[in-house]
Amino acid sequence: MTVKVDWDNASLLHDSYWRYRVTVTTIPWANRAPNMPSELTEAIVCLCTGAELIDEGHGDILLPQGIVGEVKSTSGYEDDLSSFSPSSEFEKLFFVHMDQQSHDIYHVYDLGLNREALSDIKVNSNETFADHARNNRRPRFSIIEKVIRPNNMRPTWKVDMSKRVII
């Protein structure tokens, strides 16, 4: 079962996240900005690709071609630590991060990778993504450091939530 995404609800999530983020960062003991909710980043990728959210089953989104997508993100723009289920199945990996200059703009990458393509990525000095998954541990690594920077990737899309446009 899938759910269609619309600009009104995606904008509501965006606005709510930013109000919460601003509030949290003013509290002395909560000095770290909260992560973007997956509901927001998955909705952003759906807007870019025409996909729908997967309500039941594996993966995050279902692309129009029937391809299952996985969405990872960071609330920053310089670094990340993405975590994967040891058994998640997906055919296309997407990544979302915020713009350095504007909180209304998100950078969205179609990384061109499926789960198998991540197998050889080192998650520590001795083990790969596949090693962790095989041992039922959650593989964690920086998509920015291991995929985006080495391949000199640029965003596939930029989404401006204030104007409700995909650039």
Side-chain angles (χ1 to χ4, degrees):
M1 179 180 210
T2 60
V3 178
K4 198 158 187 58
V5 170
D6 60 78
W7 278 103
D8 288 342
N9 287 310
S11 294
L12 178 62
L13 281 171
H14 164 75
D15 294 340
S16 298
Y17 167 68
W18 276 99
R19 281 194 304 275
Y20 176 67
R21 182 181 167 111
V22 168
T23 300
V24 166
T25 56
T26 64
I27 298 170
W29 65 85
N31 59 359
R32 208 176 62 163
N35 290 330
M36 287 188 293
S38 59
E39 294 82 3
L40 172 60
T41 57
E42 291 166 7
I44 288 169
V45 175
C46 285
L47 291 170
C48 293
T49 62
E52 294 186 1
L53 296 170
I54 295 177
D55 197 26
E56 296 175 11
H58 67 280
D60 296 325
I61 61 173
L62 185 64
L63 294 149
Q65 309 85 350
I67 294 171
V68 174
E70 182 82 4
V71 179
K72 299 298 180 186
S73 65
T74 182
S75 56
Y77 49 85
E78 289 292 327
D79 57 8
D80 70 295
L81 184 60
S82 295
S83 176
F84 294 79
S85 164
S87 60
S88 65
E89 298 286 330
F90 58 89
E91 298 156 288
K92 238 178 192 305
L93 181 60
F94 297 89
F95 187 74
V96 180
H97 72 78
M98 292 183 285
D99 187 85
Q100 188 172 1
Q101 307 300 319
S102 171
H103 76 274
D104 285 322
I105 297 176
Y106 296 91
H107 297 241
V108 181
Y109 298 79
D110 177 345
L111 298 173
L113 301 171
N114 60 20
R115 183 178 174 90
E116 183 65 28
L118 304 178
S119 294
D120 294 332
I121 290 179
K122 289 280 205 178
V123 296
N124 62 36
S125 58
N126 301 318
E127 297 175 301
T128 64
F129 184 99
D131 294 333
H132 269 236
R134 228 182 342 271
N135 290 309
N136 207 29
R137 289 180 282 156
R138 293 185 67 84
R140 292 175 175 84
F141 68 92
S142 168
I143 290 175
I144 293 172
E145 179 185 317
K146 301 282 185 171
V147 178
I148 293 174
R149 282 190 190 131
N151 294 300
N152 201 28
M153 296 181 84
R154 298 289 171 239
T156 310
W157 305 277
K158 289 185 183 180
V159 178
D160 186 329
M161 295 302 287
S162 65
K163 296 176 183 169
R164 296 185 178 197
V165 296
I166 300 166
I167 305 165

PDB file of all heavy atoms in Angstrom, residues 14-37:
ATOM      1  N   HIS A  14       7.664  20.664   6.746  1.00  0.00           N
ATOM      2  CA  HIS A  14       8.840  21.536   6.688  1.00  0.00           C
ATOM      3  C   HIS A  14       8.720  22.663   7.719  1.00  0.00           C
ATOM      4  O   HIS A  14       9.642  22.902   8.503  1.00  0.00           O
ATOM      5  CB  HIS A  14       8.999  22.103   5.276  1.00  0.00           C
ATOM      6  CG  HIS A  14       9.922  23.275   5.192  1.00  0.00           C
ATOM      7  ND1 HIS A  14      11.290  23.146   5.256  1.00  0.00           N
ATOM      8  CD2 HIS A  14       9.668  24.596   5.070  1.00  0.00           C
ATOM      9  CE1 HIS A  14      11.844  24.349   5.171  1.00  0.00           C
ATOM     10  NE2 HIS A  14      10.885  25.242   5.051  1.00  0.00           N
ATOM     11  N   ASP A  15       7.602  23.365   7.713  1.00  0.00           N
ATOM     12  CA  ASP A  15       7.399  24.487   8.646  1.00  0.00           C
ATOM     13  C   ASP A  15       7.433  24.023  10.099  1.00  0.00           C
ATOM     14  O   ASP A  15       8.037  24.677  10.952  1.00  0.00           O
ATOM     15  CB  ASP A  15       6.076  25.199   8.355  1.00  0.00           C
ATOM     16  CG  ASP A  15       6.068  25.905   7.009  1.00  0.00           C
ATOM     17  OD1 ASP A  15       7.161  26.178   6.455  1.00  0.00           O
ATOM     18  OD2 ASP A  15       4.953  26.176   6.496  1.00  0.00           O
ATOM     19  N   SER A  16       6.814  22.891  10.370  1.00  0.00           N
ATOM     20  CA  SER A  16       6.789  22.359  11.745  1.00  0.00           C
ATOM     21  C   SER A  16       8.183  21.968  12.208  1.00  0.00           C
ATOM     22  O   SER A  16       8.566  22.238  13.348  1.00  0.00           O
ATOM     23  CB  SER A  16       5.866  21.142  11.827  1.00  0.00           C
ATOM     24  OG  SER A  16       4.556  21.512  11.514  1.00  0.00           O
ATOM     25  N   TYR A  17       8.935  21.319  11.329  1.00  0.00           N
ATOM     26  CA  TYR A  17      10.308  20.940  11.676  1.00  0.00           C
ATOM     27  C   TYR A  17      11.137  22.176  12.001  1.00  0.00           C
ATOM     28  O   TYR A  17      11.866  22.207  13.000  1.00  0.00           O
ATOM     29  CB  TYR A  17      10.955  20.138  10.531  1.00  0.00           C
ATOM     30  CG  TYR A  17      12.455  19.992  10.711  1.00  0.00           C
ATOM     31  CD1 TYR A  17      12.971  19.227  11.748  1.00  0.00           C
ATOM     32  CD2 TYR A  17      13.343  20.645   9.869  1.00  0.00           C
ATOM     33  CE1 TYR A  17      14.342  19.108  11.935  1.00  0.00           C
ATOM     34  CE2 TYR A  17      14.708  20.525  10.045  1.00  0.00           C
ATOM     35  CZ  TYR A  17      15.203  19.761  11.081  1.00  0.00           C
ATOM     36  OH  TYR A  17      16.557  19.645  11.261  1.00  0.00           O
ATOM     37  N   TRP A  18      11.035  23.225  11.187  1.00  0.00           N
ATOM     38  CA  TRP A  18      11.845  24.415  11.425  1.00  0.00           C
ATOM     39  C   TRP A  18      11.450  25.155  12.694  1.00  0.00           C
ATOM     40  O   TRP A  18      12.311  25.657  13.405  1.00  0.00           O
ATOM     41  CB  TRP A  18      11.859  25.332  10.197  1.00  0.00           C
ATOM     42  CG  TRP A  18      12.913  24.832   9.277  1.00  0.00           C
ATOM     43  CD1 TRP A  18      12.761  24.052   8.191  1.00  0.00           C
ATOM     44  CD2 TRP A  18      14.321  24.990   9.472  1.00  0.00           C
ATOM     45  NE1 TRP A  18      13.986  23.719   7.672  1.00  0.00           N
ATOM     46  CE2 TRP A  18      14.965  24.283   8.435  1.00  0.00           C
ATOM     47  CE3 TRP A  18      15.102  25.650  10.409  1.00  0.00           C
ATOM     48  CZ2 TRP A  18      16.340  24.232   8.296  1.00  0.00           C
ATOM     49  CZ3 TRP A  18      16.483  25.599  10.280  1.00  0.00           C
ATOM     50  CH2 TRP A  18      17.084  24.891   9.243  1.00  0.00           C
ATOM     51  N   ARG A  19      10.171  25.188  12.997  1.00  0.00           N
ATOM     52  CA  ARG A  19       9.755  25.810  14.274  1.00  0.00           C
ATOM     53  C   ARG A  19      10.325  25.025  15.446  1.00  0.00           C
ATOM     54  O   ARG A  19      10.840  25.600  16.402  1.00  0.00           O
ATOM     55  CB  ARG A  19       8.229  25.895  14.356  1.00  0.00           C
ATOM     56  CG  ARG A  19       7.638  27.053  13.563  1.00  0.00           C
ATOM     57  CD  ARG A  19       6.184  27.325  13.921  1.00  0.00           C
ATOM     58  NE  ARG A  19       5.318  26.174  13.777  1.00  0.00           N
ATOM     59  CZ  ARG A  19       4.726  25.794  12.635  1.00  0.00           C
ATOM     60  NH1 ARG A  19       4.913  26.481  11.535  1.00  0.00           N
ATOM     61  NH2 ARG A  19       3.949  24.740  12.616  1.00  0.00           N
ATOM     62  N   TYR A  20      10.243  23.711  15.379  1.00  0.00           N
ATOM     63  CA  TYR A  20      10.788  22.853  16.425  1.00  0.00           C
ATOM     64  C   TYR A  20      12.304  23.011  16.528  1.00  0.00           C
ATOM     65  O   TYR A  20      12.858  23.156  17.617  1.00  0.00           O
ATOM     66  CB  TYR A  20      10.416  21.396  16.152  1.00  0.00           C
ATOM     67  CG  TYR A  20      11.020  20.424  17.125  1.00  0.00           C
ATOM     68  CD1 TYR A  20      10.632  20.408  18.462  1.00  0.00           C
ATOM     69  CD2 TYR A  20      11.985  19.506  16.720  1.00  0.00           C
ATOM     70  CE1 TYR A  20      11.188  19.513  19.365  1.00  0.00           C
ATOM     71  CE2 TYR A  20      12.542  18.607  17.614  1.00  0.00           C
ATOM     72  CZ  TYR A  20      12.150  18.622  18.928  1.00  0.00           C
ATOM     73  OH  TYR A  20      12.705  17.740  19.819  1.00  0.00           O
ATOM     74  N   ARG A  21      12.980  23.025  15.401  1.00  0.00           N
ATOM     75  CA  ARG A  21      14.439  23.163  15.381  1.00  0.00           C
ATOM     76  C   ARG A  21      14.877  24.475  16.028  1.00  0.00           C
ATOM     77  O   ARG A  21      15.808  24.496  16.832  1.00  0.00           O
ATOM     78  CB  ARG A  21      14.929  23.079  13.938  1.00  0.00           C
ATOM     79  CG  ARG A  21      16.425  23.172  13.805  1.00  0.00           C
ATOM     80  CD  ARG A  21      16.811  23.104  12.319  1.00  0.00           C
ATOM     81  NE  ARG A  21      18.188  23.480  12.132  1.00  0.00           N
ATOM     82  CZ  ARG A  21      19.151  22.656  11.776  1.00  0.00           C
ATOM     83  NH1 ARG A  21      18.886  21.391  11.549  1.00  0.00           N
ATOM     84  NH2 ARG A  21      20.384  23.084  11.620  1.00  0.00           N
ATOM     85  N   VAL A  22      14.216  25.560  15.686  1.00  0.00           N
ATOM     86  CA  VAL A  22      14.545  26.867  16.266  1.00  0.00           C
ATOM     87  C   VAL A  22      14.315  26.842  17.775  1.00  0.00           C
ATOM     88  O   VAL A  22      15.146  27.316  18.556  1.00  0.00           O
ATOM     89  CB  VAL A  22      13.732  27.997  15.591  1.00  0.00           C
ATOM     90  CG1 VAL A  22      13.836  29.289  16.372  1.00  0.00           C
ATOM     91  CG2 VAL A  22      14.218  28.196  14.164  1.00  0.00           C
ATOM     92  N   THR A  23      13.217  26.260  18.216  1.00  0.00           N
ATOM     93  CA  THR A  23      12.904  26.189  19.648  1.00  0.00           C
ATOM     94  C   THR A  23      13.956  25.377  20.394  1.00  0.00           C
ATOM     95  O   THR A  23      14.489  25.808  21.407  1.00  0.00           O
ATOM     96  CB  THR A  23      11.511  25.570  19.864  1.00  0.00           C
ATOM     97  OG1 THR A  23      10.543  26.378  19.206  1.00  0.00           O
ATOM     98  CG2 THR A  23      11.179  25.478  21.346  1.00  0.00           C
ATOM     99  N   VAL A  24      14.264  24.199  19.887  1.00  0.00           N
ATOM    100  CA  VAL A  24      15.215  23.304  20.560  1.00  0.00           C
ATOM    101  C   VAL A  24      16.586  23.947  20.691  1.00  0.00           C
ATOM    102  O   VAL A  24      17.232  23.831  21.736  1.00  0.00           O
ATOM    103  CB  VAL A  24      15.301  21.954  19.812  1.00  0.00           C
ATOM    104  CG1 VAL A  24      16.501  21.142  20.264  1.00  0.00           C
ATOM    105  CG2 VAL A  24      14.039  21.159  20.028  1.00  0.00           C
ATOM    106  N   THR A  25      17.038  24.628  19.666  1.00  0.00           N
ATOM    107  CA  THR A  25      18.395  25.183  19.709  1.00  0.00           C
ATOM    108  C   THR A  25      18.510  26.397  20.627  1.00  0.00           C
ATOM    109  O   THR A  25      19.618  26.868  20.876  1.00  0.00           O
ATOM    110  CB  THR A  25      18.891  25.540  18.292  1.00  0.00           C
ATOM    111  OG1 THR A  25      17.971  26.431  17.685  1.00  0.00           O
ATOM    112  CG2 THR A  25      19.051  24.285  17.453  1.00  0.00           C
ATOM    113  N   THR A  26      17.400  26.886  21.169  1.00  0.00           N
ATOM    114  CA  THR A  26      17.467  27.977  22.145  1.00  0.00           C
ATOM    115  C   THR A  26      17.527  27.462  23.583  1.00  0.00           C
ATOM    116  O   THR A  26      17.758  28.238  24.502  1.00  0.00           O
ATOM    117  CB  THR A  26      16.247  28.923  22.015  1.00  0.00           C
ATOM    118  OG1 THR A  26      15.060  28.200  22.324  1.00  0.00           O
ATOM    119  CG2 THR A  26      16.172  29.528  20.627  1.00  0.00           C
ATOM    120  N   ILE A  27      17.331  26.186  23.778  1.00  0.00           N
ATOM    121  CA  ILE A  27      17.349  25.589  25.114  1.00  0.00           C
ATOM    122  C   ILE A  27      18.784  25.182  25.439  1.00  0.00           C
ATOM    123  O   ILE A  27      19.416  24.439  24.672  1.00  0.00           O
ATOM    124  CB  ILE A  27      16.393  24.382  25.175  1.00  0.00           C
ATOM    125  CG1 ILE A  27      14.961  24.866  24.910  1.00  0.00           C
ATOM    126  CG2 ILE A  27      16.503  23.672  26.511  1.00  0.00           C
ATOM    127  CD1 ILE A  27      13.965  23.760  24.716  1.00  0.00           C
ATOM    128  N   PRO A  28      19.334  25.669  26.561  1.00  0.00           N
ATOM    129  CA  PRO A  28      20.756  25.461  26.863  1.00  0.00           C
ATOM    130  C   PRO A  28      21.233  24.010  26.835  1.00  0.00           C
ATOM    131  O   PRO A  28      22.316  23.728  26.348  1.00  0.00           O
ATOM    132  CB  PRO A  28      20.917  26.047  28.270  1.00  0.00           C
ATOM    133  CG  PRO A  28      19.791  26.998  28.424  1.00  0.00           C
ATOM    134  CD  PRO A  28      18.664  26.463  27.595  1.00  0.00           C
ATOM    135  N   TRP A  29      20.462  23.084  27.348  1.00  0.00           N
ATOM    136  CA  TRP A  29      20.931  21.696  27.395  1.00  0.00           C
ATOM    137  C   TRP A  29      20.613  20.921  26.112  1.00  0.00           C
ATOM    138  O   TRP A  29      21.032  19.794  25.951  1.00  0.00           O
ATOM    139  CB  TRP A  29      20.358  20.952  28.604  1.00  0.00           C
ATOM    140  CG  TRP A  29      18.868  20.794  28.568  1.00  0.00           C
ATOM    141  CD1 TRP A  29      18.169  19.812  27.932  1.00  0.00           C
ATOM    142  CD2 TRP A  29      17.921  21.646  29.169  1.00  0.00           C
ATOM    143  NE1 TRP A  29      16.844  20.006  28.097  1.00  0.00           N
ATOM    144  CE2 TRP A  29      16.644  21.130  28.873  1.00  0.00           C
ATOM    145  CE3 TRP A  29      17.991  22.795  29.939  1.00  0.00           C
ATOM    146  CZ2 TRP A  29      15.475  21.721  29.312  1.00  0.00           C
ATOM    147  CZ3 TRP A  29      16.814  23.381  30.379  1.00  0.00           C
ATOM    148  CH2 TRP A  29      15.587  22.844  30.072  1.00  0.00           C
ATOM    149  N   ALA A  30      19.914  21.531  25.200  1.00  0.00           N
ATOM    150  CA  ALA A  30      19.597  20.885  23.924  1.00  0.00           C
ATOM    151  C   ALA A  30      20.347  21.619  22.821  1.00  0.00           C
ATOM    152  O   ALA A  30      19.754  22.177  21.915  1.00  0.00           O
ATOM    153  CB  ALA A  30      18.098  20.915  23.690  1.00  0.00           C
ATOM    154  N   ASN A  31      21.649  21.619  22.910  1.00  0.00           N
ATOM    155  CA  ASN A  31      22.475  22.437  22.014  1.00  0.00           C
ATOM    156  C   ASN A  31      22.711  21.818  20.643  1.00  0.00           C
ATOM    157  O   ASN A  31      23.475  22.335  19.856  1.00  0.00           O
ATOM    158  CB  ASN A  31      23.820  22.740  22.672  1.00  0.00           C
ATOM    159  CG  ASN A  31      24.582  21.484  23.024  1.00  0.00           C
ATOM    160  OD1 ASN A  31      24.106  20.383  22.792  1.00  0.00           O
ATOM    161  ND2 ASN A  31      25.757  21.645  23.585  1.00  0.00           N
ATOM    162  N   ARG A  32      22.068  20.724  20.374  1.00  0.00           N
ATOM    163  CA  ARG A  32      22.244  20.053  19.089  1.00  0.00           C
ATOM    164  C   ARG A  32      20.946  20.139  18.287  1.00  0.00           C
ATOM    165  O   ARG A  32      19.871  19.864  18.805  1.00  0.00           O
ATOM    166  CB  ARG A  32      22.573  18.586  19.343  1.00  0.00           C
ATOM    167  CG  ARG A  32      23.392  17.946  18.294  1.00  0.00           C
ATOM    168  CD  ARG A  32      23.743  16.552  18.697  1.00  0.00           C
ATOM    169  NE  ARG A  32      22.503  15.794  18.845  1.00  0.00           N
ATOM    170  CZ  ARG A  32      22.433  14.486  18.872  1.00  0.00           C
ATOM    171  NH1 ARG A  32      23.519  13.776  18.818  1.00  0.00           N
ATOM    172  NH2 ARG A  32      21.292  13.862  18.990  1.00  0.00           N
ATOM    173  N   ALA A  33      21.049  20.513  17.034  1.00  0.00           N
ATOM    174  CA  ALA A  33      19.861  20.595  16.186  1.00  0.00           C
ATOM    175  C   ALA A  33      19.296  19.192  15.943  1.00  0.00           C
ATOM    176  O   ALA A  33      20.049  18.249  15.723  1.00  0.00           O
ATOM    177  CB  ALA A  33      20.194  21.254  14.863  1.00  0.00           C
ATOM    178  N   PRO A  34      17.980  19.044  15.974  1.00  0.00           N
ATOM    179  CA  PRO A  34      17.378  17.728  15.754  1.00  0.00           C
ATOM    180  C   PRO A  34      17.480  17.294  14.288  1.00  0.00           C
ATOM    181  O   PRO A  34      17.524  18.132  13.385  1.00  0.00           O
ATOM    182  CB  PRO A  34      15.911  17.945  16.145  1.00  0.00           C
ATOM    183  CG  PRO A  34      15.672  19.395  15.930  1.00  0.00           C
ATOM    184  CD  PRO A  34      16.979  20.083  16.230  1.00  0.00           C
ATOM    185  N   ASN A  35      17.538  15.997  14.093  1.00  0.00           N
ATOM    186  CA  ASN A  35      17.549  15.451  12.743  1.00  0.00           C
ATOM    187  C   ASN A  35      16.242  15.769  12.031  1.00  0.00           C
ATOM    188  O   ASN A  35      15.202  15.912  12.666  1.00  0.00           O
ATOM    189  CB  ASN A  35      17.740  13.938  12.772  1.00  0.00           C
ATOM    190  CG  ASN A  35      19.124  13.554  13.200  1.00  0.00           C
ATOM    191  OD1 ASN A  35      20.082  14.275  12.973  1.00  0.00           O
ATOM    192  ND2 ASN A  35      19.239  12.404  13.842  1.00  0.00           N
ATOM    193  N   MET A  36      16.312  15.837  10.716  1.00  0.00           N
ATOM    194  CA  MET A  36      15.094  16.004   9.933  1.00  0.00           C
ATOM    195  C   MET A  36      14.277  14.724  10.035  1.00  0.00           C
ATOM    196  O   MET A  36      14.841  13.628   9.973  1.00  0.00           O
ATOM    197  CB  MET A  36      15.423  16.263   8.467  1.00  0.00           C
ATOM    198  CG  MET A  36      15.964  17.632   8.201  1.00  0.00           C
ATOM    199  SD  MET A  36      16.126  17.973   6.432  1.00  0.00           S
ATOM    200  CE  MET A  36      17.422  16.848   5.951  1.00  0.00           C
ATOM    201  N   PRO A  37      12.974  14.856  10.176  1.00  0.00           N
ATOM    202  CA  PRO A  37      12.148  13.648  10.230  1.00  0.00           C
ATOM    203  C   PRO A  37      12.118  12.945   8.872  1.00  0.00           C
ATOM    204  O   PRO A  37      12.096  13.597   7.826  1.00  0.00           O
ATOM    205  CB  PRO A  37      10.762  14.170  10.622  1.00  0.00           C
ATOM    206  CG  PRO A  37      10.785  15.620  10.345  1.00  0.00           C
ATOM    207  CD  PRO A  37      12.207  16.076  10.364  1.00  0.00           C
TER     208      PRO A  37
END
